[in-house]
């Protein structure tokens, strides 16, 4: 099922992040079904916030996350901004947007 990155949450968001880091579809699905939650568990998702040097702003009822993704030569970069109900959701959406784009094809059984 194609989902806009800005709308990813819960297991669908966790699955997308797991896929970025090389887990095959089956393993990513098993991980999120077994409770591996990058978007809800600080001990799992928190290190990625540090790795990407994520910056946050509070915007009313949600958080805005900003990360910079540098090219391989370290010359140019893209600025990615996303939002979420909490820090981890906003940051994981930013990482997915940077690596996979504005939409993600998520297994239907993981969509809420």
């Amino acid at each position: 099922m194609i989902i806009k990155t800005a709308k990813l949450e819960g297991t669908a968001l966790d699955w997308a992040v797991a896929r970025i880091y090389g887990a095959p579809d089956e393993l990513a699905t098993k991980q999120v079904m077994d409770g591996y939650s990058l978007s809800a568990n600080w001990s799992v998702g928190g290190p990625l916030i540090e790795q990407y040097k994520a910056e946050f702003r509070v915007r009313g009822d949600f958080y805005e996350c900003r990360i910079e993704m540098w090219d391989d030569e370290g010359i140019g970069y893209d600025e990615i901004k996303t939002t979420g109900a909490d820090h981890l959701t906003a940051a994981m959406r930013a990482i997915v947007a940077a690596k996979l784009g504005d939409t993600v094809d998520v297994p239907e059984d993981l969509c809420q």
Side-chain angles (χ1 to χ4, degrees):
M1 170 178 255
I2 305 292
I3 300 177
K4 289 185 179 260
T5 303
K7 301 288 185 186
L8 284 172
E9 60 186 9
T11 56
L13 178 56
D14 295 331
W15 180 89
V17 178
R19 287 291 292 129
I20 289 169
Y21 289 95
D25 285 352
E26 306 80 35
L27 179 57
T29 301
K30 181 179 179 346
Q31 286 176 328
V32 298
M33 298 308 278
D34 288 346
Y36 180 75
S37 181
L38 291 146
S39 65
N41 185 334
W42 276 95
S43 66
V44 180
L48 293 178
I49 289 174
E50 290 182 30
Q51 177 183 336
Y52 286 93
K53 297 176 178 55
E55 298 175 359
F56 297 93
R57 286 191 178 160
V58 177
R59 300 281 190 192
D61 292 340
F62 61 90
Y63 293 87
E64 178 183 84
C65 178
R66 177 185 166 277
I67 62 173
E68 295 177 352
M69 297 297 294
W70 291 88
D71 65 19
D72 291 339
E73 290 82 35
I75 299 169
Y77 72 94
D78 287 327
E79 180 179 88
I80 310 296
K81 287 185 181 178
T82 57
T83 61
D86 54 62
H87 290 90
L88 282 172
T89 299
M92 296 310 113
R93 285 178 179 168
I95 293 166
V96 172
K99 298 288 191 174
L100 300 179
D102 294 332
T103 60
V104 180
D105 190 3
V106 178
E108 204 161 321
D109 58 329
L110 297 179
C111 300
Q112 299 170 337

